[in-house]
Amino acid sequence: MAHFVIMGCGRVGATLAHTLEDAGHSVAVIDQDERAFRRLRNTFSGRKVTGVGFDRDTLKRAGVEEAFAFAAVSSGDNSNILATRVARETFHVGHVVARIYDPGRAEIYQRLGIPTVAAVRWSADQVLRRILPEQHLAGDYREPSGRLVLAEIDLHEGWIGHSLSSIEAAAGIRIAFLTRFGEGMLPETGTAYQQGDTVHAMLSLDRTTEISRILAKAPIKEL
């Protein structure tokens, strides 16, 4: 069981809270308006924290110091980005994601290394994929036999600067495309993994645990 902090108790924030709690995790929801917590079901047992989501004391009351992940899904782009940066840079939360309404800002946020999901294609499922690593490998597509899956993968920061071909060789995967600065791109010979990239790869479903373990560590340095 892990602890998750969600900023914003709108329709999707409440959906995230319920989904995570149903999966056995502990959840804290932050919202400036106490009335927003009415969207949570009566049986919700997580924390309800009234306050500004980027305020450090508010985040501490929500348990951000022990949080596995933080999702900012309020209605304000600036608030979401600021709160996400505080969670990541001040409290060192390992998995963060921010909802944005202005897709033109995506490149700026990606350069800051903050995963974002534009509201026009936003869903609770996409946010869950960014704060629950095991959800990444559930896959966006499976070929007919069910043995191969196209999935979003996580990489240790130690892979930054390494070629995609070296990543493929280490993990036994085939990288299909990248999302860089909010835009999809096909890898070319010599393409290297950059900070903020989202990597989508074809892989064997029965090797997902092994692949996750390999890529969660920095690459082995050659002597």
Side-chain angles (χ1 to χ4, degrees):
M1 184 179 73
H3 182 59
F4 293 81
V5 178
I6 299 168
M7 170 187 156
C9 195
R11 178 180 57 83
V12 184
T15 299
L16 288 172
H18 294 156
T19 301
L20 291 166
E21 186 176 61
D22 288 344
H25 301 292
S26 65
V27 185
V29 183
I30 301 171
D31 203 288
Q32 296 184 67
D33 187 353
E34 189 173 1
R35 293 172 298 179
F37 298 129
R38 296 174 184 173
R39 293 186 176 91
L40 296 171
R41 60 194 177 197
N42 294 333
T43 57
F44 179 70
S45 61
R47 304 182 207 178
K48 304 171 187 176
V49 181
T50 304
V52 178
F54 49 80
D55 175 74
R56 295 184 184 186
D57 290 335
T58 300
L59 287 167
K60 287 181 179 179
R61 285 191 285 126
V64 73
E65 292 171 304
E66 62 264 18
F68 175 80
F70 176 84
V73 295
S74 76
S75 59
D77 285 7
N78 291 335
S79 296
N80 288 342
I81 290 298
L82 181 56
T84 303
R85 292 193 67 183
V86 172
R88 189 191 63 180
E89 297 170 11
T90 301
F91 296 103
H92 309 294
V93 179
H95 299 83
V96 298
V97 63
R99 177 188 191 182
I100 61 169
Y101 285 86
D102 181 1
R105 298 181 179 181
E107 180 173 345
I108 297 173
Y109 300 153
Q110 290 284 359
R111 288 187 183 276
L112 294 173
I114 299 172
T116 60
V117 180
V120 292
R121 61 179 193 276
W122 194 92
S123 70
D125 178 66
Q126 289 191 30
V127 169
L128 285 169
R129 290 189 183 193
R130 286 159 175 77
I131 61 177
L132 282 173
E134 64 268 24
Q135 291 287 330
H136 292 357
L137 298 184
D140 296 316
Y141 168 79
R142 292 191 188 187
E143 52 83 34
S145 75
R147 295 189 302 169
L148 299 178
V149 61
L150 175 64
E152 180 181 317
I153 59 174
D154 283 322
L155 290 96
H156 187 278
E157 62 181 9
W159 288 100
I160 293 173
H162 286 256
S163 67
L164 298 188
S165 59
S166 67
I167 295 171
E168 291 178 328
I173 60 177
R174 180 63 55 86
I175 295 175
F177 67 98
L178 301 176
T179 302
R180 180 173 290 175
F181 306 139
E183 299 289 338
M185 62 173 286
L186 294 174
E188 299 177 354
T189 302
T191 299
Y193 174 59
Q194 295 183 10
Q195 183 175 8
D197 284 353
T198 301
V199 180
H200 307 265
M202 292 298 298
L203 50 95
S204 297
L205 193 61
D206 60 1
R207 294 188 59 245
T208 55
T209 300
E210 178 188 358
I211 292 168
S212 295
R213 185 180 69 251
I214 293 171
L215 298 180
K217 300 178 181 178
I220 299 173
K221 294 182 179 181
E222 296 182 2
L223 298 177

